[in-house]
Amino acid sequence: MAKGKIKRYRKPLNINIGMIIFGVIFIYVVVYVIMYFQTSHIVRYEVKEGSLAADTIYRGIVLRDETVVTAQTTGYVNYYALEGERVAKNDLVYVVDESGRLSESLSSMSLGENSLSDRELTEFRSEIVSFLHEFDERQYENTYDFKYSLKNTVMKLSNTNMLQSIQDLNGAAGVNIIHSSYAPMTGIVAYWTDGYEDLAPTAVTQEIIDDKEYEKKRIMSDTLLAEGDPVYKLSTNENWSVVIPIDANRGAELQEEGYVKVRFLKNQYESWGAVELLANGNGETFLQLTFTNSMITFISDRFLDIELIIEDEKGLKIPVSSIVQKEFYLIPEEYVTPGGNNGGDSIKRRCILEDGSISSEIVEIEIYYYDSETKEYYLDSSMVESGDILFREDSEESFTVSRRATLIGVYNMNKGYADFKQINILYQNDEYAIVKPNTKYGLSVYDYIVLNAESVRDDQFINQ
């Protein structure tokens, strides 16, 4: 018997309508997913009311009318006037001891346990409490200022004994080995220098304010000074100022106000300062705040941290990414007719008919902005073009469209397409801007705008 070959039976492919529909849906989903990841997505943002709190803490440099007085005689300096004290012309400020015996005489004297009055004890307590309240580990050098201040306070208590010792020593020596020095003019005494006494406001730089190597040279009692060395300085004017670095636009806004309220972080004291915007040779902008009082309070400070007490800008809060610039044609107001056939504005434009004759047509327009100073309307290129000739409604005068200007705005998407709306920015930081609400051609609260202005084109239709 012949052996037959066994062939495998192939089941025929049965294609039905269900498989066809499933295949079409699968291909559609794949194509849609690919297009989704290849297409830039338009995200909307709902406009809401809000505010931005500006950074109002600044570090500035203190400028005063300061006169440095130099020593007339070589010797050991002992101060009579207290730092921060006002002295009149010819008041005793310090004495110079050529021998050094005055310091020994003062050291041998004891103030006694009960030598401090209640007022003097209160003065000590006030200085200590103030130091504890303001102490910052990052500015440890202030500890030396505190030590220096206390030493000056002690010096004040020894003034009477010092004058008596001067008389005794000069009498014993038979000659004047101790010389008195008197103030050449009226002013506030300070016993330190730093080289910025003659610094002009326009010469201030960011480098000066940020200087980490800044050094204040303190001049202490019982210090040996040579003739011509700085011995003290006088601040001769109660008017003084603090110069702070600031953004040019922000500074211009504050200058328009004229005065701004300032809080000094050192003691929480508040005062009004006159504002002046300055610029140096490096292109940096600064704000000079001038005060007419409290100069004595900060006589030992060259740098101060201050806070500008200003109101937060309030309005419509929008992302900076939504802001865009767009160019428009400028049309004089006499060539725009308010209220057309549909209640909108219109223009009368020259046109050429099919037979070649020249005529005019009424065109409905959308106005994007009106400049009340120049009395001009802003129209975009979808309504007019360069070279178009417009006619006045009540005369034969004509105007040729040519001039352009730029507006700042956002794309409104309430109508389903990217509709440009002009905005008036009140304040702006890196992330958000505050714009003026309820302007005639601008935004209103709860409008929807395009979050990223670069993701759309002008008048592009948007699927919401």
Side-chain angles (χ1 to χ4, degrees):
M1 175 185 285
K3 296 182 179 179
K5 293 183 178 180
I6 301 175
K7 294 183 178 181
R8 186 175 181 179
Y9 177 74
R10 294 184 177 181
K11 187 177 181 179
L13 179 63
N14 294 323
I15 300 177
N16 55 43
I17 189 64
M19 294 181 63
I20 295 175
I21 294 175
F22 177 80
V24 171
I25 293 175
F26 178 77
I27 294 173
Y28 174 81
V29 171
V30 171
V31 172
Y32 185 83
V33 170
I34 294 174
M35 291 179 62
Y36 177 83
F37 286 104
Q38 291 181 343
T39 304
S40 59
H41 306 293
I42 299 173
V43 180
R44 68 180 186 177
Y45 175 86
E46 184 179 10
V47 177
K48 295 182 179 179
E49 293 180 334
S51 64
L52 288 180
D55 184 9
T56 57
I57 304 296
Y58 299 89
R59 177 175 173 82
I61 185 169
V62 177
L63 302 181
R64 317 174 186 85
D65 291 336
E66 297 173 305
T67 300
V68 177
V69 180
T70 57
Q72 301 299 312
T73 307
T74 300
Y76 292 89
V77 174
N78 286 274
Y79 293 110
Y80 180 80
L82 180 66
E83 182 169 75
E85 180 180 347
R86 179 182 294 276
V87 295
K89 183 178 181 180
N90 296 325
D91 279 355
L92 177 63
V93 178
Y94 71 97
V95 296
V96 177
D97 176 16
E98 295 180 359
S99 65
R101 292 170 58 188
L102 177 61
S103 178
E104 295 176 3
S105 176
L106 292 175
S107 298
S108 64
M109 295 181 181
S110 174
L111 293 176
E113 295 182 359
N114 300 318
S115 60
L116 297 181
S117 66
D118 291 340
R119 182 180 60 83
E120 291 162 345
L121 285 172
T122 301
E123 188 174 343
F124 270 107
R125 291 193 190 100
S126 177
E127 290 193 36
I128 295 172
V129 170
S130 178
F131 170 74
L132 292 175
H133 178 72
E134 300 165 6
F135 178 72
D136 187 345
E137 294 180 353
R138 296 170 295 182
Q139 297 178 336
Y140 186 76
E141 65 274 8
N142 291 341
T143 305
Y144 298 99
D145 289 334
F146 172 61
K147 175 183 176 183
Y148 172 61
S149 177
L150 286 182
K151 188 169 184 178
N152 274 331
T153 303
V154 173
M155 178 192 70
K156 179 180 179 180
L157 304 178
S158 64
N159 286 343
T160 302
N161 293 330
M162 182 173 68
L163 292 178
Q164 182 61 47
S165 297
I166 290 173
Q167 296 174 1
D168 294 341
L169 290 174
N170 279 339
V175 293
N176 289 333
I177 61 174
I178 300 176
H179 306 277
S180 300
S181 181
Y182 302 91
M185 64 190 76
T186 300
I188 309 300
V189 179
Y191 298 120
W192 59 274
T193 61
D194 60 1
Y196 291 142
E197 284 76 16
D198 297 322
L199 182 66
T202 54
V204 176
T205 64
Q206 186 67 53
E207 183 179 2
I208 291 176
I209 295 178
D210 295 338
D211 186 11
K212 303 300 182 182
E213 304 299 325
Y214 170 78
E215 181 181 1
K216 179 190 292 184
K217 297 179 180 178
R218 301 175 183 85
I219 312 168
M220 309 292 292
S221 281
D222 197 27
T223 299
L224 179 61
L225 295 180
E227 182 179 351
D229 286 347
V231 64
Y232 69 96
K233 62 183 177 181
L234 288 172
S235 296
T236 56
N237 194 330
E238 186 66 23
N239 294 339
W240 62 291
S241 64
V242 179
V243 178
I244 61 174
I246 200 166
D247 175 75
N249 294 331
R250 189 60 170 167
E253 294 174 359
L254 294 174
Q255 183 170 242
E256 290 182 1
E257 299 293 330
Y259 289 84
V260 63
K261 195 174 185 180
V262 174
R263 177 182 294 117
F264 299 93
L265 301 189
K266 179 178 180 179
N267 56 4
Q268 301 301 307
Y269 174 78
E270 296 180 0
S271 181
W272 286 89
V275 178
E276 182 178 0
L277 188 62
L278 307 173
N280 62 18
N282 300 333
E284 299 170 328
T285 54
F286 295 85
L287 203 66
Q288 183 179 17
L289 304 167
T290 302
F291 306 92
T292 59
N293 53 32
S294 306
M295 189 267 290
I296 296 178
T297 305
F298 306 104
I299 193 65
S300 62
D301 298 296
R302 178 61 72 190
F303 297 97
L304 286 174
D305 293 322
I306 65 172
E307 178 183 5
L308 304 185
I309 305 176
I310 53 181
E311 294 183 0
D312 296 342
E313 295 288 0
K314 296 181 180 180
L316 302 180
K317 187 175 182 180
I318 63 172
V320 172
S321 61
S322 298
I323 300 175
V324 67
Q325 292 187 359
K326 183 179 177 181
E327 199 172 54
F328 293 87
Y329 288 103
L330 300 179
I331 309 298
E333 67 172 354
E334 55 266 27
Y335 292 91
V336 175
T337 303
N341 295 331
N342 297 322
D345 302 318
S346 63
I347 56 174
K348 186 178 181 181
R349 183 174 59 189
R350 189 185 73 166
C351 64
I352 300 178
L353 302 179
E354 293 182 358
D355 59 3
S357 61
I358 298 176
S359 182
S360 63
E361 60 180 349
I362 303 298
V363 179
E364 297 284 340
I365 59 171
E366 180 181 358
I367 295 173
Y368 287 86
Y369 181 66
Y370 173 71
D371 191 328
S372 58
E373 294 185 1
T374 62
K375 299 187 181 304
E376 292 175 310
Y377 288 98
Y378 285 65
L379 305 183
D380 73 356
S381 57
S382 66
M383 303 169 194
V384 292
E385 296 180 354
S386 181
D388 282 353
I389 297 177
L390 307 182
F391 299 103
R392 292 184 59 169
E393 186 69 23
D394 54 354
S395 71
E396 294 300 321
E397 293 182 18
S398 63
F399 169 78
T400 302
V401 178
S402 61
R403 293 180 57 241
R404 296 186 180 189
T406 301
L407 289 178
I408 298 176
V410 297
Y411 285 121
N412 186 307
M413 52 190 297
N414 291 349
K415 301 177 181 178
Y417 62 91
D419 184 20
F420 181 90
K421 293 294 183 181
Q422 182 266 348
I423 59 174
N424 183 3
I425 299 177
L426 300 176
Y427 180 70
Q428 177 179 334
N429 59 23
D430 293 336
E431 298 181 357
Y432 289 94
I434 298 298
V435 304
K436 190 175 182 179
N438 302 321
T439 56
K440 185 174 182 181
Y441 303 105
L443 291 177
S444 299
V445 66
Y446 305 128
D447 280 348
Y448 285 104
I449 61 175
V450 176
L451 179 62
N452 183 7
E454 296 181 355
S455 65
V456 299
R457 302 182 308 275
D458 193 40
D459 292 328
Q460 174 183 340
F461 283 97
I462 301 172
N463 294 323
Q464 301 186 48

